[in-house]
């Protein structure tokens, strides 16, 4: 028998519907590799992915909480700013009113002082006028008498008070 006859006989004895032994061995090896893969490799990867997802979720929640805190702080800031502005306006209005009150009091005091000074000046002027009139009246009489005497040509006596 030749080698070609042996190969032909071996080929005829095999049924293509029955699996070959190498196919079964290869299938078992693939199953073992898949079992090892799913038993030892996939769980750590799943665990790492799950931890990473948890960290991302935690970061997202912290970001949302920080955003909420920021919004609340901003609202408090705006309220405080509005209160400070209203307080400043109230203080400014109070200061204006007090300043106007002080100004009005000062004006009334100044007006009273001016009125007193005018009264004193009027009194002083009246006294000075009386004194000047008293000083000038005898001189005017004397001058009037002298002038009248010249005009008339005779000596005329000065009325009441006479000459000095």
């Amino acid at each position: 028998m030749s080698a070609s006859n042996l190969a032909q006989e071996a080929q005829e004895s095999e049924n293509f519907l029955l699996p070959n032994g190498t196919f079964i061995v290869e299938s078992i090896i693939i199953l073992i590799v898949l079992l090892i893969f799913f038993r030892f490799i996939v769980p750590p990867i799943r665990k790492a992915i799950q931890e990473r997802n948890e960290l991302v979720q935690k970061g997202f929640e912290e970001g949302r909480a920080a955003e909420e805190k920021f919004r609340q702080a901003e609202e408090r800031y705006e309220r405080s700013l509005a209160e400070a502005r209203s307080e400043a306006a109230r203080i400014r209005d109070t200061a204006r009113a007090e300043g106007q009150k002080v100004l009005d009091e000062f004006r009334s005091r100044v007006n009273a002082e001016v009125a007193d000074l005018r009264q004193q000046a009027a009194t002083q002027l009246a006294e000075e006028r009386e004194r000047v009139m008293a000083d000038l009246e005898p001189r005017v009489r004397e001058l009037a008498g002298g002038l009248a005497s010249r005009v008339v040509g005779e000596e005329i006596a000065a009325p009441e008070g006479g000459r000095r």
Side-chain angles (χ1 to χ4, degrees), residues 30-66:
I30 289 175
L31 287 175
I32 290 173
V33 168
L34 285 176
L35 179 69
I36 290 172
F37 184 76
F38 282 109
R39 179 85 173 173
F40 297 108
I41 296 174
V42 170
I45 292 174
R46 279 189 185 162
K47 185 179 178 184
I49 290 172
Q50 185 179 6
E51 287 174 357
R52 189 170 189 191
N53 286 341
E54 288 173 359
L55 282 174
V56 167
Q57 184 67 26
K58 185 179 177 183
F60 181 72
E61 290 171 0
E62 287 176 354
R64 193 179 316 153

Side-chain angles (χ1 to χ4, degrees), residues 1-159:
M1 286 203 137
S2 71
S4 64
N5 283 342
L6 282 176
Q8 193 175 20
E9 252 180 54
Q11 217 173 26
E12 288 176 1
S13 67
E14 287 184 25
N15 187 357
F16 72 92
L17 292 175
L18 292 175
N20 192 356
T22 55
F23 177 74
I24 293 173
V25 170
E26 289 174 355
S27 298
I28 291 173
I29 291 173
I30 289 175
L31 287 175
I32 290 173
V33 168
L34 285 176
L35 179 69
I36 290 172
F37 184 76
F38 282 109
R39 179 85 173 173
F40 297 108
I41 296 174
V42 170
I45 292 174
R46 279 189 185 162
K47 185 179 178 184
I49 290 172
Q50 185 179 6
E51 287 174 357
R52 189 170 189 191
N53 286 341
E54 288 173 359
L55 282 174
V56 167
Q57 184 67 26
K58 185 179 177 183
F60 181 72
E61 290 171 0
E62 287 176 354
R64 193 179 316 153
E67 185 178 333
E68 180 65 23
K69 284 181 182 179
F70 176 75
R71 189 184 56 75
Q72 290 173 352
E74 190 174 29
E75 287 175 2
R76 284 193 309 265
Y77 168 75
E78 291 296 329
R79 277 195 309 265
S80 297
L81 187 61
E83 288 174 6
R85 285 181 179 155
S86 65
E87 181 71 15
R90 186 186 61 76
I91 290 171
R92 186 176 52 243
D93 292 342
T94 303
R96 240 185 232 139
E98 288 178 7
Q100 189 63 39
K101 182 180 175 184
V102 167
L103 188 60
D104 291 343
E105 288 175 6
F106 183 71
R107 281 183 183 157
S108 65
R109 272 191 269 147
V110 167
N111 287 338
E113 287 179 16
V114 167
D116 287 346
L117 286 175
R118 283 183 180 167
Q119 183 64 33
Q120 289 175 359
T123 305
Q124 197 174 18
L125 281 174
E127 290 173 359
E128 279 294 313
R129 191 183 82 220
E130 291 297 322
R131 194 172 336 115
V132 167
M133 291 295 282
D135 284 346
L136 289 179
E137 189 176 341
R139 287 186 188 163
V140 169
R141 284 187 187 170
E142 183 179 321
L143 286 174
L147 186 61
S149 296
R150 278 190 200 167
V151 171
V152 173
E154 306 180 5
E155 192 165 316
I156 299 177

